[in-house]
RNA sequence: UGACCGAUGGUGUAAUUGGCAACACAACUGAUUUUGGUUCAGUAGAGUUCAGGUUCGAAACCUGAUCGGUCAACCA
């Protein structure tokens, strides 16, 4: 019976259980009713004007994941309709990040700019249908006449130009006869609409700017609202999934499709991801980079995908996180602890265990022969036998963590203290006999005796110790740089600021601590592309700054620590 | 005050679509453990924003209120 249960359990664990949320319910209903002949086709549409962050990861997982789940397709489409903000640098980084997350778009890489000719024709059609007109108002005039959410707007004096005149002017706009801002093409909808986006929105604006893909072919560019739905339509997208702020755009999205009489995809909105102790807006992230609060977009403290990657996060962890947080329409703030849980879960299975001392204090084993050294067996990963074993050098003098010794230990302190015996992992039992301090009272040496019979970590007499601590042989220790990262902000919601302050005032001054640590010699031959756990400390990865004689480790996340000093 | 959207333990997401609120994270016990890790077992914590209504029965449906979000770029 227990065998049955185990089998069932194991099978369940292997399945990455996909949550069925409201979007999938809509899709399943569409499949059931035969809409789009049961086809499912999504798209991920980033604007190439910045780096992707964990919030985009959620959207990527949703769009690509949905396509996978329903045997459909997902297009990668760059929403590049604003040349002054966009650049190929960003399209490259976006592609790298999506690929790293493990999604594939094969031949389905698109650009809204690919459709500029078609979208221009759409505009012509609207003009011919008397549903669009060229407007001469300045941005300011237009803003003034638009009204407010509670006060309806006023119609443009150019609203009733003839089709012929509109056509003529629009072609002139395209031909570069006007300066930036001089004219726009506007939809003729309803200046009294309670929805601001329906008050004759701008469809095309004049921008004498070089586009990263179309060069100088165009000097007029479609607005988001006149490009997005049409692009979806052209690509036969079935479900156009976007974030909540586009909810009020949906009537316009649908208006364009309807007036153009083209294939109609369905726009569905969901709540974007928010994480506590960080900021997510592109503007703020950019500001952090520009003002050197962080080292760059891939600073391991950044919530960017490249930052998380450099920090040591795995794609599996992020995808799993995206799955766990779910998809809904209510505003949310996810606890970073959940993200951290997801990496730990993955890294626990993958990370090679190594020994390293971050904050050393020397231990001298008085009864260990001078000059002797030996190599002890250690398992590389207790969670994965196939990871194999390695040997660690041991000698008379070792470093242990300062935290692992207390001269006057509180009640439940199990580690080394005067008279107490502990196990050195994979080595011996040692007992503290005395300590040596310097003139200022700091402990400089801890003296111990070891039990030669306890080699490997077990005493033949069966006696137990309450604690096992890690160590590094002084003689064999390799000095490495370790970057201890912590959350970027010390406030849960840096955006919610008190008077006269802004999010930057809540930057955590201790978000990065760089230390020199001692590690076992194995680090010098370790595969730099793998993940590691410094035993009892946390998960780490090699930073790209590592060079032959200067290894650099980034702390991805600490291990969970259930030790609570008495009184706390 | 206009339109649209939302409201379920500390956090996030569920609830066979009207049948006595579940899962995960976080917290806390205990067991196991050569990582105070892992694993395992368990505890606590919401009666579903509020008020009415429909119903044998409401987290779900209706009405109203309250609170929160989004929208007034020639950004996306």
């Amino acid at each position: 019976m227990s065998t049955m249960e185990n089998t069932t359990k194991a099978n369940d664990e292997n399945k990455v259980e996909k949550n069925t949320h409201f979007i999938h319910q809509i899709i399943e209903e569409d499949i059931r009713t035969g809409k789009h002949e049961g086809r499912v086709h999504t798209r991920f549409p980033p604007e190439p004007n910045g780096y992707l962050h964990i919030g985009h990861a959620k959207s990527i997982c949703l769009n690509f994941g949905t396509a996978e789940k329903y045997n459909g397709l997902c297009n990668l489409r760059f929403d590049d309709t604003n040349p002054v903000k966009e650049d190929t640098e960003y399209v490259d980084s976006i592609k790298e990040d999506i690929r790293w997350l493990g999604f594939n778009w094969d031949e389905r890489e698109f650009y809204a700019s690919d459709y500029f000719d078609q979208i221009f024709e759409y505009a012509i059609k609207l003009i011919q249908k008397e549903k669009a007109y060229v407007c001469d108002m300045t941005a300011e005039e237009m803003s003034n006449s638009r009204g407010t959410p509670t006060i309806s707007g006023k119609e443009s004096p150019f609203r009733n130009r003839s089709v012929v005149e509109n056509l003529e002017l629009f072609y002139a706009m395209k031909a570069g006869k006007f300066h930036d801002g001089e004219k726009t093409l506007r939809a003729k909808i309803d200046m009294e609409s309670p929805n601001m986006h329906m008050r004759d929105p701008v469809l095309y604006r004049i921008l004498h700017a070089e586009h990263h893909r179309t060069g100088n072919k165009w000097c007029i560019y479609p607005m988001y609202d006149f490009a997005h739905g049409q692009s979806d339509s052209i690509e036969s997208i079935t479900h156009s999934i976007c974030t909540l702020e586009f909810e009020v755009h949906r009537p316009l999205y649908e208006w364009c499709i309807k007036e153009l009489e083209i294939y109609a995809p369905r726009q569905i909105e969901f709540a974007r991801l928010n994480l506590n102790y960080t900021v997510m807006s592109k503007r703020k992230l950019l500001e952090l980079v520009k003002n050197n609060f962080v080292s760059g977009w891939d600073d391991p403290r950044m919530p960017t995908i490249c930052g998380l990657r450099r920090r040591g996060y795995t794609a599996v962890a992020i995808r799993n996180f995206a799955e766990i947080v779910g998809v809904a329409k209510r505003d949310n703030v996810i606890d970073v602890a959940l993200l951290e849980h997801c990496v730990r879960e993955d890294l626990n299975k993958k990370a090679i265990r190594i020994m390293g001392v971050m904050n050393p204090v020397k231990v001298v084993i008085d009864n260990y022969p001078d000059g002797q050294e030996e190599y002890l067996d250690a398992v590389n990963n207790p969670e994965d036998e196939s990871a194999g074993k390695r040997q660690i050098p041991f000698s008379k003098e070792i470093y242990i963590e300062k935290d692992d010794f207390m001269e006057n230990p509180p009640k439940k302190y199990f580690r080394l203290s005067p008279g107490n015996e502990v196990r050195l992992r994979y080595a011996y039992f040692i007992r503290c006999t005395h300590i040596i301090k310097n003139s200022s009272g700091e402990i400089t040496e801890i003296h111990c005796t070891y039990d030669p019979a306890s080699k490997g970590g077990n005493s033949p007499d069966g006696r137990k110790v309450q604690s096992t601590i890690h160590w590094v042989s002084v003689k064999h220790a390799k000095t490495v740089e370790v970057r201890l990262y912590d959350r970027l902000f010390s406030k849960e919601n840096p955006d919610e600021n008190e008077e006269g302050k802004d999010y930057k005032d809540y930057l955590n001054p201790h978000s990065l601590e760089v230390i020199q640590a001692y590690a076992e010699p194995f680090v010098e031959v370790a595969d730099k592309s793998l993940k590691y756990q410094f035993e009892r400390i946390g998960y780490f990865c090699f930073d790209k700054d590592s060079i032959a004689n200067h290894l650099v480790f980034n702390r991805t996340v600490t291990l969970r620590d259930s030790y609570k000093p008495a009184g706390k």
Side-chain angles (χ1 to χ4, degrees):
Chain A
M1 178 180 139
S2 64
T3 321
M4 275 289 283
E5 278 173 7
N6 288 342
T7 311
T8 310
K9 204 168 224 175
N11 286 342
D12 287 346
E13 277 168 8
N14 288 337
K15 275 179 206 154
V16 184
E17 196 189 314
K18 302 277 183 189
N19 289 322
T20 297
H21 41 72
F22 79 101
I23 294 180
H24 288 171
Q25 285 172 7
I26 290 171
I27 289 174
E28 284 171 23
E29 176 66 16
D30 287 346
I31 292 171
R32 205 176 304 124
T33 59
K35 195 173 176 186
H36 312 301
E37 304 82 43
R39 207 163 50 81
V40 173
H41 200 157
T42 57
R43 101 268 92 110
F44 174 64
E47 182 188 14
N49 71 341
Y51 286 77
L52 261 26
H53 55 61
I54 183 78
H56 294 108
K58 174 179 176 178
S59 179
I60 291 166
C61 292
L62 213 207
N63 280 294
F64 282 93
T66 296
E68 269 175 18
K69 177 170 177 171
Y70 298 103
N71 293 314
L73 299 171
C74 179
N75 294 357
L76 168 59
R77 181 171 72 231
F78 291 95
D79 225 333
D80 54 351
T81 56
N82 186 356
V84 304
K85 287 189 172 179
E86 297 149 7
D87 197 273
T88 40
E89 171 200 351
Y90 299 118
V91 345
D92 292 340
S93 78
I94 288 168
K95 288 200 269 188
E96 184 187 359
D97 288 347
I98 301 173
R99 210 175 285 123
W100 177 75
L101 279 173
F103 294 105
N104 220 306
W105 56 90
D106 294 324
E107 304 305 308
R108 296 187 312 284
E109 178 176 329
F110 302 100
Y111 295 81
S113 54
D114 289 343
Y115 311 134
F116 282 171
D117 286 298
Q118 176 68 258
I119 294 170
F120 181 80
E121 291 306 318
Y122 286 151
I124 298 293
K125 178 165 186 177
L126 241 38
I127 292 171
Q128 285 167 338
K129 287 183 75 177
E130 296 188 68
K131 294 291 183 180
Y133 61 96
V134 172
C135 183
D136 297 1
M137 286 201 277
T138 64
E140 198 187 344
E141 288 167 340
M142 209 182 287
S143 177
N144 291 336
S145 66
R146 187 160 21 234
T148 71
T150 50
I151 301 167
S152 52
K154 284 201 270 295
E155 294 189 350
S156 163
F158 308 99
R159 199 171 199 259
N160 294 311
R161 289 218 252 230
S162 68
V163 170
V164 175
E165 188 185 3
N166 278 324
L167 246 23
E168 197 175 295
L169 286 170
F170 189 50
Y171 277 110
M173 279 170 66
K174 185 196 180 197
K177 299 277 166 57
F178 306 110
H179 298 293
D180 285 6
E182 211 176 316
K183 286 182 166 44
T184 57
L185 181 74
R186 291 227 258 167
K188 191 190 284 189
I189 309 181
D190 178 8
M191 289 307 289
E192 291 183 9
S193 170
N195 183 337
M196 298 296 290
H197 295 278
M198 299 300 271
R199 320 242 265 227
D200 289 12
V202 171
L203 267 21
Y204 263 92
R205 77 287 216 187
I206 300 170
L207 242 34
H208 290 272
E210 184 172 321
H211 187 281
H212 65 103
R213 296 191 82 246
T214 59
N216 294 306
K217 178 178 177 187
W218 298 90
C219 63
I220 58 171
Y221 293 91
M223 298 288 290
Y224 166 87
D225 285 309
F226 199 60
H228 201 93
Q230 285 82 324
S231 301
D232 285 342
S233 180
I234 291 166
E235 294 173 18
S236 299
I237 299 301
T238 56
H239 303 271
S240 180
I241 304 168
C242 63
T243 45
L244 249 30
E245 65 268 28
F246 293 103
E247 226 160 7
V248 283
H249 292 245
R250 198 190 328 136
L252 180 52
Y253 180 105
E254 288 167 352
W255 182 91
C256 291
I257 298 279
K258 181 169 165 279
E259 294 299 338
L260 260 13
E261 299 162 59
I262 54 179
Y263 165 82
R266 172 167 177 186
Q267 174 178 305
I268 305 170
E269 310 85 10
F270 72 100
R272 64 179 338 134
L273 172 78
N274 292 294
L275 262 191
N276 58 11
Y277 296 104
T278 192
V279 292
M280 212 68 100
S281 91
K282 259 179 198 172
R283 198 206 94 222
K284 286 170 185 162
L285 260 16
L286 177 66
E287 198 176 5
L288 292 174
V289 173
K290 286 240 164 97
N291 297 332
N292 295 311
F293 290 112
V294 295
S295 64
W297 286 99
D298 68 345
D299 185 297
R301 292 166 293 184
M302 293 282 274
T304 49
I305 294 178
C306 54
L308 290 165
R309 179 165 63 230
R310 189 171 175 188
R311 174 85 170 247
Y313 274 75
T314 59
V316 169
I318 292 174
R319 289 178 64 156
N320 200 244
F321 173 72
E323 191 60 45
I324 286 174
V325 297
V327 178
K329 291 190 75 165
R330 104 179 66 139
D331 294 316
N332 62 81
V333 182
I334 312 286
D335 194 338
V336 267
L338 184 57
L339 219 208
E340 293 173 347
H341 165 261
C342 290
V343 235
R344 288 194 187 102
E345 188 182 44
D346 188 38
L347 260 22
N348 177 49
K349 290 179 286 191
K350 294 177 178 164
I352 304 290
R353 271 58 169 178
I354 52 180
M355 300 243 260
V357 174
M358 307 291 120
N359 190 14
V361 58
K362 191 189 280 185
V363 169
V364 180
I365 301 161
D366 292 318
N367 61 338
Y368 193 86
D370 289 341
Q372 179 171 314
E373 58 180 67
E374 62 184 309
Y375 282 79
L376 302 163
D377 290 327
V379 304
N380 286 331
N381 184 354
E383 304 293 318
D384 177 12
E385 211 177 312
S386 71
K389 294 183 174 180
R390 68 183 189 289
Q391 293 203 307
I392 311 174
F394 184 79
S395 63
K396 187 183 179 81
E397 295 190 339
I398 58 172
Y399 291 119
I400 66 165
E401 216 68 60
K402 265 186 185 146
D403 283 352
D404 287 340
F405 177 83
M406 278 190 100
E407 189 177 359
N408 300 299
K411 265 194 177 53
K412 290 257 185 137
Y413 187 82
F414 300 145
R415 285 108 95 158
L416 198 61
S417 58
N420 193 34
E421 186 174 47
V422 300
R423 171 168 38 232
L424 294 176
R425 177 142 238 226
Y426 299 127
Y428 296 97
F429 284 10
I430 58 169
R431 187 183 298 278
C432 174
T433 54
H434 62 287
I435 56 178
I436 296 175
K437 295 181 181 177
N438 63 16
S439 52
S440 50
E442 289 168 311
I443 298 168
T444 54
E445 279 182 8
I446 298 168
H447 283 257
C448 294
T449 56
Y450 84 117
D451 173 4
S454 64
K455 180 169 178 174
N458 282 309
S459 173
D461 64 13
R463 85 182 178 275
K464 304 278 188 209
V465 287
Q466 282 187 108
S467 178
T468 299
I469 63 174
H470 61 279
W471 52 275
V472 169
S473 164
V474 171
K475 184 180 167 187
H476 306 87
K478 303 299 175 192
T479 303
V480 297
E481 176 178 332
V482 173
R483 298 175 183 169
L484 302 171
Y485 292 104
D486 199 354
R487 34 195 67 155
L488 229 199
F489 292 89
S490 41
K491 193 163 181 274
E492 256 201 73
N493 179 3
D495 288 321
E496 173 193 82
N497 25 256
E498 302 142 34
E499 291 217 4
K501 295 196 171 192
D502 84 336
Y503 72 101
K504 294 192 291 304
D505 293 313
Y506 304 111
L507 280 160
N508 175 7
H510 309 295
S511 61
L512 169 59
E513 190 190 346
V514 180
I515 62 170
Q516 300 297 314
Y518 293 120
E520 60 169 293
F522 174 73
V523 293
E524 293 200 324
V525 297
D527 184 337
K528 291 191 173 52
S529 68
L530 299 179
K531 310 298 182 198
Y532 296 89
Q533 180 196 106
F534 277 120
E535 293 218 28
R536 302 210 303 132
I537 303 291
Y539 293 102
F540 294 78
C541 66
F542 280 96
D543 188 78
K544 66 178 184 187
D545 289 345
S546 292
I547 51 171
N549 292 317
H550 185 79
L551 300 178
V552 181
F553 284 93
N554 292 330
R555 181 174 71 194
T556 308
V557 66
T558 61
L559 251 36
R560 283 187 54 182
D561 184 6
S562 62
Y563 172 61
K564 304 241 168 5
K568 266 200 165 178

